[in-house]
Amino acid sequence: MSAPTPPGHAVTDLLGLVALGELLAFERMAADARLAPDLRRRAALSEMAAAEIANYRRVADRLAALGVLPDDAMSAYVAPLQGFHDSTEPRDWAEAVTKAYVGDAITDDFLREIAGALREPDRQLVLDVLHESRYAEFAAAEIRLAIEADPKLAGRLSMWARRLVGEALSQAGRVAAADNGRLTALIAAGGQLDVAGLFRRLTAAHTARMTAAGLNN
Amino acid sequence: MSAPTPPGHAVTDLLGLVALGELLAFERMAADARLAPDLRRRAALSEMAAAEIANYRRVADRLAALGVLPDDAMSAYVAPLQGFHDSTEPRDWAEAVTKAYVGDAITDDFLREIAGALREPDRQLVLDVLHESRYAEFAAAEIRLAIEADPKLAGRLSMWARRLVGEALSQAGRVAAADNGRLTALIAAGGQLDVAGLFRRLTAAHTARMTAAGLNN
């Protein structure tokens, strides 16, 4: 028998998940930048990475203001998030930008959905850490350029994008399990949300983005 | 016989060197952050890294405004700067923060010296990309903490710092050779500078910093 979930905990769990997501996205994008074919593109992905760590700082500061050590709020999610990145290491530049494109966008869609379950100021904070669209445009342009140069690439990158989504969903299950369901309880408590509907919307948006970048879903 | 150096070229060479230094410092610090013993410290070094890429952007934009592709201005320096980082990969967290501490400070001292040889607005731009002192304080505090926990570490880190300086000087020679002496000509043209004096001042400042962090020179 578990006690009723304290809503405060669920909020800091969620912020911990968001903070860790930013921190690991920073690390992986910074590492993937070395796959870039020239220094200009290498710098562009590095700048995308740097935006993540600035967001990390905002969320970590909010956790501290709520009296929670960011490390404590994040620790439950290290294994699944690290697992996602370890199982999706890009082999080349095209895979790296596809991962940045797909990963950022799904993260943003997810954050937008759960923001509705939060009160202010956390609602606005989560909406604020959404990615700037100029980064998505850079990534999509790089994908289209790579496919233009080598049309066979479209198939491989489409498969890669499907694998990214598959891994993300599989790790999302581990995330939901990681904190004894407090996070899922928070999302459900938002009222507007049903999980099936959430997945449907995330998938539809993902499909539209694949098409926009010249990939098949 | 080489033609007289066009001062414009020397300035964009110098900005190219600064830009590439920032870009590579970003990459290496972001990678080294994974050596951190906890997420808080991992984030702190990642934030130091992110500050570098913001500086990269400012310098790259100035190069573009001067009509030079940043990649072209940087390319001559890739081999020596990459060589420095490849030959100084930290093996643990203490070596990583020592490298950040030593490397940032020497870079700043060097930039402050050569800024005197530049006209505005480039003089101010170079002074602006100096590192924030809070990062140096974080790194120095981490070094002192590590030595406090394990006093034997002082010897190893002191040797590591000497190796960093030695590698930096040896690659500085390759940098000076990389662009047919245009950069050294610019520095000499500053008038206030003699190279022997420059090295003397850099070394003195480095020694003082070593002492401040509990290391021997």
Side-chain angles (χ1 to χ4, degrees), chain B residues 118-181:
Chain B
L118 293 171
R119 281 187 294 260
E120 298 298 356
D122 297 306
R123 189 174 164 278
Q124 192 55 49
L125 174 63
V126 167
L127 291 175
D128 282 352
V129 303
L130 299 180
H131 299 83
E132 284 182 52
S133 57
R134 67 187 163 105
Y135 293 131
E137 279 151 29
F138 165 78
E142 287 295 311
I143 296 169
R144 285 191 299 264
L145 215 66
I147 294 175
E148 226 174 85
D150 176 11
K152 284 195 313 297
L153 207 54
R156 172 156 73 86
L157 291 182
S158 300
M159 271 180 49
W160 170 243
R162 279 198 292 278
R163 211 182 110 207
L164 289 168
V165 174
E167 286 291 338
L169 290 180
S170 122
Q171 299 299 342
R174 289 182 66 196
V175 164
D179 60 359
N180 301 313

Side-chain angles (χ1 to χ4, degrees), chain B residues 74-108:
Chain B
M74 293 190 281
S75 60
Y77 308 113
V78 171
L81 264 63
Q82 195 98 49
F84 169 72
H85 286 293
D86 288 347
S87 62
T88 56
E89 289 219 16
R91 284 171 304 170
D92 57 24
W93 175 244
E95 289 192 359
V97 287
T98 303
K99 180 172 174 179
Y101 179 71
V102 169
D104 277 9
I106 289 199
T107 305
D108 285 357

Side-chain angles (χ1 to χ4, degrees), chain A residues 20 23-24 26-28 30-31 33-34 38-47 49-50 53-54 56-57 70-71 74-75 78 82 89, chain B residues 20 23-24 26-28 30-31 33-34 38-47 49-50 53-54 56-57 70-71 74-75 78 82 89:
Chain A
L20 185 66
L23 181 55
L24 295 189
F26 164 82
E27 285 184 10
R28 297 313 173 114
R34 299 200 208 178
D38 56 41
L39 293 170
R40 183 184 69 79
R41 291 180 167 92
R42 197 155 139 176
L45 197 61
S46 300
E47 288 182 276
I53 200 73
Y56 163 85
R57 172 50 48 206
D71 278 40
M74 293 190 282
S75 61
V78 171
Q82 194 97 51
E89 288 219 18
Chain B
L20 184 66
L23 180 56
L24 295 189
F26 165 83
E27 284 184 10
R28 296 312 174 114
R34 300 200 207 177
D38 56 39
L39 294 170
R40 181 183 69 79
R41 290 181 168 92
R42 196 155 137 176
L45 197 60
S46 300
E47 287 182 275
I53 201 73
Y56 164 84
R57 172 50 48 206
D71 278 41
M74 293 190 281
S75 60
V78 171
Q82 195 98 49
E89 289 219 16

